Amino acid sequence: MENADADFQRLLDEAVKFHGHLCGGQVIGVRMAMAGLRELGIKEPRGKEGRDLVIFVEIDRCATDAIISVTGRTPGKRSLKMLDYGKMAATFVNVGTGKAVRISVRADLDEKVRRIARANETAESEEAAYLAALAAMPEEEVLKIGRVIVNIRPRDLPGKPLSSVICERCGEAVRDMREVYRWGRILCRPCADRQTYYALEDGRPATGASRTSRGRVRKGSA
Ligand SMILES: [Zn+2]
Ligand SMILES: [Zn+2]
């Protein structure tokens, strides 16, 4: 138990350094990551046994940084996937064996932690009492852990891009089959949905910038 506490504190310190501040998200993220690794039997995620680990996180908030810090999985290695669900949960998958666990934060956690924190009269501050209570809370009261089945598409796996095509509207390359076929054209998603951003070179949304470049499929990276 003492070893587990020491591991937790070391991983929390590292996460705080990576994230930039100590917050509830760091405490929860470290706890989620430790539980996920334990459930998949991975002791050294940056070593050989972590090679097949892919994590799907469901929120773009503080805890995600802690999960990255503990596990070494990153979007750039395609081993950390962002699912924009706004939910405090992450699924840890061994893509070699298919074993997967989804770990989510219990809905009544915040209320419970606040109740314990309020009773702490020796803590330096309200926040310190909250974080101490969150760190000390038994795992089964913090996290819900369940086996799941995850279907990972080949196009989402680490490794070389499976394809690269040119968007017929903006002329930019789109990899890994993320292109959209619409109005008889091969388009990138922002061009197809007219979302996220517009090219502002001429003050107006880009149109027909690549009318001459036909969408073509190439093997390997561009
Ligand atoms: Zn934070
Ligand atoms: Zn485009």
Side-chain angles (χ1 to χ4, degrees):
M1 194 61 210
E2 266 171 33
N3 272 347
D5 286 350
D7 278 350
F8 171 74
Q9 195 53 55
R10 176 178 57 81
L11 293 169
L12 181 63
D13 290 345
E14 285 172 11
V16 168
K17 217 164 156 189
F18 175 68
H19 180 59
H21 62 240
L22 172 62
C23 59
Q26 298 315 292
V27 175
I28 287 183
V30 168
R31 297 195 67 162
M32 287 171 82
M34 288 178 79
L37 295 175
R38 184 195 65 226
E39 293 296 316
L40 293 184
I42 297 169
K43 287 200 175 71
E44 297 287 341
R46 287 175 173 77
K48 223 175 169 187
E49 55 177 359
R51 203 182 42 203
D52 289 335
L53 173 63
V54 173
I55 304 171
F56 294 79
V57 290
E58 298 182 23
I59 195 163
D60 56 349
R61 287 194 173 273
C62 296
T64 295
D65 279 356
I67 291 171
I68 291 172
S69 170
V70 172
T71 63
R73 303 300 95 179
T74 67
K77 291 195 282 263
R78 309 195 96 204
S79 52
L80 185 119
K81 315 279 188 194
M82 281 297 318
L83 304 173
D84 194 14
Y85 297 163
K87 296 172 78 174
M88 204 64 138
T91 297
F92 297 74
V93 189
N94 180 327
V95 294
T97 64
K99 187 173 179 184
V101 284
R102 181 172 181 272
I103 300 182
S104 58
V105 171
R106 293 198 178 274
D108 60 353
L109 176 66
D110 187 61
E111 198 190 306
K112 275 190 185 169
V113 174
R114 281 185 198 287
R115 204 183 312 133
I116 295 169
R118 269 197 298 272
N120 182 343
E121 284 163 4
T122 56
E124 279 172 36
S125 64
E126 215 174 293
E127 200 197 356
Y130 184 89
L131 295 174
L134 190 56
M137 185 85 92
E139 183 174 273
E140 60 274 17
E141 292 190 45
V142 178
L143 304 174
K144 204 166 86 186
I145 301 174
R147 287 288 300 271
V148 290
I149 293 168
V150 179
N151 291 313
I152 300 185
R153 303 173 302 181
R155 69 181 84 163
D156 295 332
L157 286 169
K160 280 189 178 167
L162 292 187
S163 67
S164 180
V165 303
I166 302 297
C167 171
E168 292 185 55
R169 183 161 174 270
C170 69
E172 294 180 351
V174 182
R175 294 181 186 188
D176 292 302
M177 300 151 97
R178 263 54 171 187
E179 69 273 22
V180 175
Y181 294 83
R182 196 166 294 172
W183 310 302
R185 302 165 89 189
I186 297 175
L187 300 171
C188 69
R189 263 189 236 163
C191 282
D193 298 341
R194 299 176 187 249
Q195 64 178 10
T196 310
Y197 58 79
Y198 292 111
L200 287 174
E201 274 132 31
D202 57 359
R204 283 177 301 143
T207 50
S210 62
R211 206 154 277 169
T212 53
S213 65
R214 316 288 298 180
R216 59 187 193 276
V217 181
R218 286 199 304 267
K219 283 239 163 90
S221 60

